[in-house]
Amino acid sequence: MSPSTEPREEESVVSLKSLYVTHDGPVVQVRFNTPENGNAITDRVLDDLLAVLGAVHDRPDIRVVVLSGGGPNFCAGGDRREYAEQLATDPTGTGLRTTGGKARRVCDALATTSAVTIARMHGQVIGAGLALALFCDLRVGADDCRFRLPELALGLPAAWGGSLPRLLQEAGAARIRELILTGAGFDAAQAERLSVLHRVVPEAELDRVVDEWTRPIVRRSAAALRVTKTLLNSYAAGNRLADASLLDAELMASVIAAGRPADA
């Protein structure tokens, strides 16, 4: 089902505060549903994603989860206004550490769930939104996608959800170093060259690609699919003797608490 269409009778629909979720047989569609703020990643979004992905983890009959965004953008990144509110409530950064921990759990859930996760992107894909997409197994983007890693320009460390090692692994250290240090945006074509995207198509063809990937996956053995995903994750992490990304929540909270983010 396309995120823009009405559900069919056999589909179940759940409308959370931040997400619109449809479940049709072996496929679950999860759509960010706060276009008024660019689908920014808030504490509520993380809570809702944890609830949905936790339910998927307990359902081996679900083979595919598609993550998309409502409105003109996939995701405009983390909600800096919420960061400021959390810091005003507790200057020591306890709330920020809690949010960072949730971000890590969401990213882990996307990577490790037995279902194949697909990111369906269009418009702006920024910061935390790009991080979430990177933890999906397959990624397709519209040719109008614009990507950016703005953390350093905002006075923040590149530490959110354990995404930096994932990004370095998927795209390569030299190119990512340039993008993080300069904060330069990049388009869909460059994202494909960096392996941030597997496919680039006009926006009208995004659902066709998702369906093209989904059709063979839903026919796979649930056990074989689960083991294969585990093997892929294990081999990809095999060269990491220590996982410094476990410190992401602490690093983010400490830097924000030390001084409020500068304007972009």
Side-chain angles (χ1 to χ4, degrees):
M1 169 184 162
S2 164
S4 61
T5 62
E6 291 300 317
R8 299 190 299 271
E9 290 184 2
E10 65 267 27
E11 291 174 330
S12 62
V13 178
V14 179
S15 186
L16 300 171
K17 289 187 177 180
S18 70
L19 304 176
Y20 181 79
V21 182
T22 63
H23 179 195
D24 184 12
V27 180
V28 170
Q29 298 262 1
V30 181
R31 183 178 73 197
F32 296 130
N33 201 34
T34 57
E36 66 277 4
N37 70 355
N39 296 319
I41 303 301
T42 62
D43 233 30
R44 168 57 65 181
V45 173
L46 294 173
D47 286 338
D48 287 348
L49 283 170
L50 284 171
V52 172
L53 293 169
V56 168
H57 184 75
D58 295 330
R59 292 284 304 272
D61 57 308
I62 295 174
R63 306 295 177 81
V64 176
V65 175
V66 181
L67 186 64
S68 64
N73 298 304
F74 175 74
C75 178
D79 190 336
R80 287 186 292 142
R81 289 175 299 181
E82 186 174 77
Y83 294 164
E85 290 168 2
Q86 290 173 324
L87 193 59
T89 301
D90 181 1
T92 66
T94 299
L96 294 167
R97 291 182 184 88
T98 300
T99 298
K102 290 178 185 178
R104 176 61 186 245
R105 294 197 299 276
V106 169
C107 290
D108 281 347
L110 283 169
T112 61
T113 179
S114 59
V116 173
T117 48
I118 299 175
R120 176 195 183 280
M121 290 172 276
H122 70 290
Q124 298 290 318
V125 185
I126 298 174
L130 175 55
L132 289 174
L134 282 166
F135 280 91
C136 291
D137 299 303
L138 298 171
R139 301 178 291 270
V140 60
D143 53 14
D144 70 340
C145 277
R146 293 291 302 177
F147 299 84
R148 190 174 172 224
L149 297 164
E151 289 81 3
L152 190 58
L154 299 173
L156 303 173
W160 194 93
S163 59
L164 184 55
R166 178 85 171 194
L167 186 57
L168 294 173
Q169 174 189 316
E170 297 280 288
R175 293 297 186 188
I176 296 309
R177 186 181 300 115
E178 177 190 16
L179 293 172
I180 288 176
L181 293 178
T182 66
F186 55 103
D187 62 14
Q190 186 173 357
E192 187 177 31
R193 291 193 296 271
L194 290 169
S195 297
V196 169
L197 291 176
H198 294 93
R199 298 275 293 277
V200 176
V201 294
E203 186 172 350
E205 296 183 25
L206 286 173
D207 290 330
R208 176 186 61 78
V209 175
V210 171
D211 290 342
E212 183 181 300
W213 284 337
T214 299
R215 281 195 302 272
I217 291 169
V218 298
R219 298 195 297 267
R220 303 295 184 246
S221 155
L225 195 61
R226 181 176 63 254
V227 171
T228 298
K229 277 204 59 173
T230 301
L231 286 170
L232 289 169
N233 285 326
S234 298
Y235 291 139
N239 62 343
R240 285 159 57 186
L241 297 178
D243 191 352
S245 68
L246 293 171
L247 295 171
D248 275 5
E250 185 68 36
L251 292 170
M252 177 69 79
S254 298
V255 172
I256 294 177
R260 297 197 176 201
D263 291 333

